[in-house]
């Protein structure tokens, strides 16, 4: 059985391969990357490295030839992902791939989360393809707050427009372990997993965790969305990015990231990584 992972040198893809290498022979694994130079470590570990961009259908089909099971890690180019993911799905079907898993987002078909529409559309493309599939609806990554730790260490405050919203986050390693489990074992076909951390924390708890990590007292400073945009643009972000981040905070305040399902810990056979532990590791890396 040959297993391929797209985005294999990215933050999530490389962790999935790390997990797979604990149970699979290296030469049964295919890392699909855009830049072979970034995959030298994988080559040294015996993993097959194949170069293909999500925007290059011919290269994708060649890279997927001989692959039995595929993990499509969602792309990072917001606004272009549906077309890019469609290229991967079409190439997988043309190459004879038997199974595809996809990293989506929690409740992709019903949530109002700003990031959801492209994931929902990709799920629809996968189901329409006729390929056996599993949808991995990942919740929030705790590592998304690594920069918050760094900023709060300097300012003494976590500034956010999230109100009393909660976040059931888990680490990328937690989600990677789930993906590896699905790719390397049977019985997941046709399943949609709603994956999230075991506990939903609020931003006061985030500030407390950062206080423990940095040794500096850090407080949560809630602001309105327009105020946050002003803070972010004053810090040098462009207006579009600042608005997007403020919208994510609004989604958090609305409870869209707070769902605790227990499915992630059940799938990986252990509790998800607690907030303090995860942030400590992220801050040290």
């Amino acid at each position: 059985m040959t297993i391929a992972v797209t985005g294999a040198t990215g933050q999530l893809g490389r962790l999935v391969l790390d997990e797979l290498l604990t149970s699979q022979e290296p030469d049964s694994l295919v890392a699909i990357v855009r830049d072979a130079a970034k995959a030298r470590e994988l080559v040294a570990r015996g993993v097959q490295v194949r170069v293909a961009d999500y925007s290059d259908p011919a290269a994708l089909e060649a890279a997927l030839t001989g692959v039995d099971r595929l993990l499509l890690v969602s792309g990072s180019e917001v606004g272009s992902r549906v077309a890019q993911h469609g290229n991967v799905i079409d190439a997988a079907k043309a190459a004879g791939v038997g199974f595809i898993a996809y990293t989506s987002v929690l409740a992709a078909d019903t949530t109002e989360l700003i990031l959801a529409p492209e994931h929902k559309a990709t799920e629809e493309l996968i189901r329409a393809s006729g390929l056996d599939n599993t949808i991995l609806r990942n919740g929030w990554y705790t590592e998304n707050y690594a920069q918050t730790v760094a900023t709060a260490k300097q300012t003494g405050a976590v500034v956010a427009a999230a109100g009393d919203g909660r976040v059931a986050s888990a680490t990328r390693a937690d989600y990677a372990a789930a993906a590896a489990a699905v790719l390397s074992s049977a019985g997941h076909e046709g399943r949609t997993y709603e994956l999230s951390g075991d506990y939903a924390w609020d931003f006061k708890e985030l500030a407390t965790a950062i206080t423990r990590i940095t040794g500096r007292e850090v407080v949560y400073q809630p602001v309105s969305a327009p105020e946050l945009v002003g803070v972010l643009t004053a810090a040098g972000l462009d207006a579009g990015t600042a608005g997007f981040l403020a919208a994510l905070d609004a989604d958090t305040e609305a409870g869209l990231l707070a769902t605790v399902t227990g499915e992630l810990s059940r799938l990986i056979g252990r509790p998800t990584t607690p907030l303090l532990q995860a942030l400590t590791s992220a801050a040290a890396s």
Side-chain angles (χ1 to χ4, degrees):
M1 181 176 66
T2 301
I3 301 172
V5 177
T6 70
T9 56
Q11 292 176 310
L12 180 63
R14 63 181 176 82
L15 292 174
V16 176
L17 281 170
D18 285 344
E19 283 286 338
L20 288 170
L21 282 164
T22 67
S23 63
Q24 308 295 311
E25 293 297 324
D27 61 1
S28 71
L29 302 177
V30 174
I32 299 177
V33 303
R34 288 190 297 181
D35 184 352
K38 294 182 179 179
R40 293 192 182 104
E41 180 187 356
L42 292 172
V43 173
R45 298 171 76 181
V47 175
Q48 301 180 55
V49 172
R50 301 178 184 176
V51 178
D53 187 279
Y54 285 177
S55 298
D56 189 337
L60 286 166
E61 184 176 344
L64 292 172
T65 298
V67 168
D68 300 300
R69 298 172 72 81
L70 168 67
L71 175 65
L72 169 54
V73 176
S74 57
S76 59
E77 297 178 32
V78 176
S80 301
R81 291 192 287 190
V82 177
Q84 292 177 342
H85 296 166
N87 289 338
V88 178
I89 295 161
D90 290 344
K93 189 170 182 178
V97 173
F99 169 86
I100 184 170
Y102 171 65
T103 60
S104 187
V105 71
L106 273 174
D109 55 345
T110 59
T111 184
E112 295 181 3
L113 186 70
I114 190 172
L115 292 170
E118 288 182 303
H119 290 293
K120 178 183 178 183
T122 299
E123 289 186 12
E124 292 169 351
L125 290 175
I126 289 172
R127 295 189 180 100
S129 74
L131 293 170
D132 283 341
N133 65 83
T134 298
I135 305 300
L136 301 167
R137 288 180 171 171
N138 290 354
W140 220 236
Y141 300 134
T142 307
E143 290 91 342
N144 289 343
Y145 299 94
Q147 183 57 51
T148 303
V149 176
T151 301
K153 183 177 181 180
Q154 298 298 320
T155 65
V158 172
V159 180
D164 295 324
R166 289 182 172 270
V167 181
S169 68
T171 64
R172 288 192 179 92
D174 293 334
Y175 293 111
V182 166
L183 289 167
S184 60
S185 61
H188 304 285
E189 290 78 3
R191 298 287 301 274
T192 296
Y193 291 108
E194 302 284 354
L195 305 176
S196 63
D198 293 335
Y199 175 74
W201 48 265
D202 64 22
F203 279 68
K204 289 181 181 178
E205 291 171 284
L206 175 62
T208 298
I210 297 173
T211 294
R212 293 184 62 181
I213 292 167
T214 64
R216 174 179 182 172
E217 183 176 359
V218 173
V219 298
Y220 172 39
Q221 181 181 335
V223 297
S224 68
E227 287 172 331
L228 181 62
V229 170
V231 169
L232 295 175
T233 52
L237 290 185
D238 64 88
T241 301
F244 178 75
L245 294 174
L248 285 176
D249 272 11
D251 287 346
T252 302
E253 183 175 23
L256 302 184
L257 302 180
T259 304
V260 176
T261 68
E263 290 191 18
L264 178 54
S265 55
R266 286 194 293 270
L267 194 54
I268 63 180
R270 60 169 173 79
T272 59
T273 308
L275 175 66
L276 179 61
Q277 180 183 337
L279 287 178
T280 300
S281 298
S285 62

